[in-house]
Amino acid sequence: MSKTTENENWTTVIKPRTGLFEVNLKEIWDYRDLLTLFVKRTIKVQYKQTILGPLWWLIQPALTVIMYMVVFGGIAGIPTDGIPQPLFYLGGVCMWQYFADCLGRTSNTFVSNAGIFGKVYFPRLIMPLSSVISNLVRFGIQLLLFVIVYVYYAIIGTAPCPNWYLLLFPLLVVMMAGLALGFGIIISSMTTKYRDLQILFSFFVSLWMYATPIVYPLSQVVGKRKFGIDVATVMCLNPVTPVIETFKHGALGAGQFIGWGWLAYSFIVMLVLLALGILIFNKVQKSFMDTV
């Protein structure tokens, strides 16, 4: 062997993964420029050829809130715990929309990016992570709309009073992102082989929203029982419910704090989903190009 060969130092070594739970955070950090590029691409492409552009990020929640006010507040007469209807609905819509957007994009990771995955190597988790981060921009703009509406009600003297639980907001956002990321990459891994699961999943997400207290307060089902089962307890088993209820209670003072136990439950579910998602993701990514 020549002396030159003995002194060679490789800067990049591509090797198979040794474990299904392996997540090379250093490798993801090394590809942070690519992650930033994908985040910018996602933001620009979404409304690149539209007339109103990013204004749709404000128009969509505004129109949704108006529809909820007419249907659920006006026709159905569902109360909002004394909170002005625009604030009550907008708070739930902003949080749910971020979760649903992250879930929708991450659940389509393998299928929508098969062309890129088949041409060049990079950490595959970069793609779902870029979806979660890029949606933070949209979430921030919609949250600004929520603040503007809140300031309006504060000026006219009818704004609800927030409390210190609002300090949990950064943790709540992380939990929403983690739940969406974990559940999304599980679905993404399954839809590489069974495409009809994507259709079923879209229908499931639509129903999931109505199983979450977005258009009604959780207080409306407290104490109610169906078939001998407490309805509020069943709804709280939905890991998104404690997160959204905590945000509403902290920002709007609506209802009562759901409890640390339920928040801990949602956090544990998030960790389990992420672990399970990484396991399935690592297993599928080795051979998904043969089935996608």
Side-chain angles (χ1 to χ4, degrees):
M1 183 179 293
S2 66
K3 184 176 181 180
T4 304
T5 304
E6 292 178 352
N7 295 331
E8 283 182 345
N9 292 317
W10 299 99
T11 58
T12 303
V13 178
I14 300 176
K15 59 182 179 179
R17 295 186 180 277
T18 58
L20 292 178
F21 281 105
E22 181 180 352
V23 179
N24 194 334
L25 297 179
K26 181 181 181 302
E27 186 182 36
I28 294 176
W29 174 253
D30 291 339
Y31 280 82
R32 60 188 180 277
D33 291 337
L34 181 63
L35 176 61
T36 303
L37 180 64
F38 280 138
V39 169
K40 292 180 179 179
R41 184 202 66 170
T42 303
I43 295 173
K44 291 179 180 179
V45 169
Q46 189 170 8
Y47 292 112
K48 185 176 181 180
Q49 292 181 309
T50 59
I51 298 175
L52 298 178
L55 283 177
W56 281 112
W57 290 345
L58 295 176
I59 295 174
Q60 287 174 335
L63 292 178
T64 301
V65 167
I66 292 173
M67 183 191 70
Y68 287 170
M69 291 173 61
V70 173
V71 176
F72 298 104
I75 299 176
I78 299 176
T80 56
D81 279 347
I83 306 298
Q85 289 184 1
L87 275 178
F88 181 85
Y89 294 134
L90 193 56
V93 167
C94 289
M95 293 292 287
W96 173 260
Q97 196 63 53
Y98 175 65
F99 172 76
D101 287 344
C102 292
L103 192 55
R105 290 186 176 277
T106 55
S107 66
N108 203 31
T109 297
F110 279 124
V111 175
S112 61
N113 297 286
I116 301 177
F117 287 167
K119 293 179 180 179
V120 63
Y121 171 79
F122 59 89
R124 303 314 190 199
L125 280 174
I126 288 287
M127 297 306 295
L129 284 174
S130 68
S131 298
V132 171
I133 296 174
S134 62
N135 280 326
L136 280 174
V137 177
R138 177 175 181 168
F139 177 61
I141 293 175
Q142 293 180 348
L143 199 64
L144 178 61
L145 177 62
F146 173 79
V147 173
I148 292 174
V149 175
Y150 185 92
V151 170
Y152 165 76
Y153 280 101
I155 292 175
I156 64 177
T158 58
C161 182
N163 53 60
W164 73 269
Y165 288 106
L166 187 59
L167 297 176
L168 295 174
F169 178 71
L171 174 63
L172 300 179
V173 174
V174 170
M175 290 173 65
M176 293 289 276
L179 288 168
L181 182 62
F183 197 73
I185 57 181
I186 291 174
I187 297 300
S188 177
S189 302
M190 296 173 63
T191 52
T192 56
K193 188 174 182 179
Y194 306 104
R195 297 293 182 87
D196 52 348
L197 286 178
Q198 188 66 38
I199 302 174
L200 179 62
F201 176 67
S202 300
F203 177 68
F204 171 74
V205 172
S206 300
L207 294 180
W208 193 350
M209 191 201 78
Y210 292 102
T212 308
I214 306 295
V215 297
Y216 55 88
L218 187 63
S219 61
Q220 289 297 299
V221 297
V222 172
K224 294 185 178 180
R225 304 182 69 87
K226 291 290 185 180
F227 308 106
I229 302 175
D230 184 66
V231 178
T233 300
V234 173
M235 291 191 62
C236 288
L237 290 175
N238 170 6
V240 182
T241 295
V243 179
I244 291 183
E245 276 297 298
T246 301
F247 171 73
K248 285 185 176 180
H249 179 66
L252 304 174
Q256 295 181 349
F257 178 51
I258 198 171
W260 294 106
W262 282 116
L263 267 185
Y265 161 78
S266 292
F267 191 81
I268 293 172
V269 171
M270 178 196 71
L271 295 179
V272 171
L273 284 175
L274 284 174
L276 184 61
I278 291 172
L279 187 152
I280 298 175
F281 194 89
N282 286 340
K283 182 178 181 180
V284 170
Q285 72 169 335
K286 297 179 180 179
S287 59
F288 89 97
M289 287 304 299
D290 298 327
T291 57
V292 72

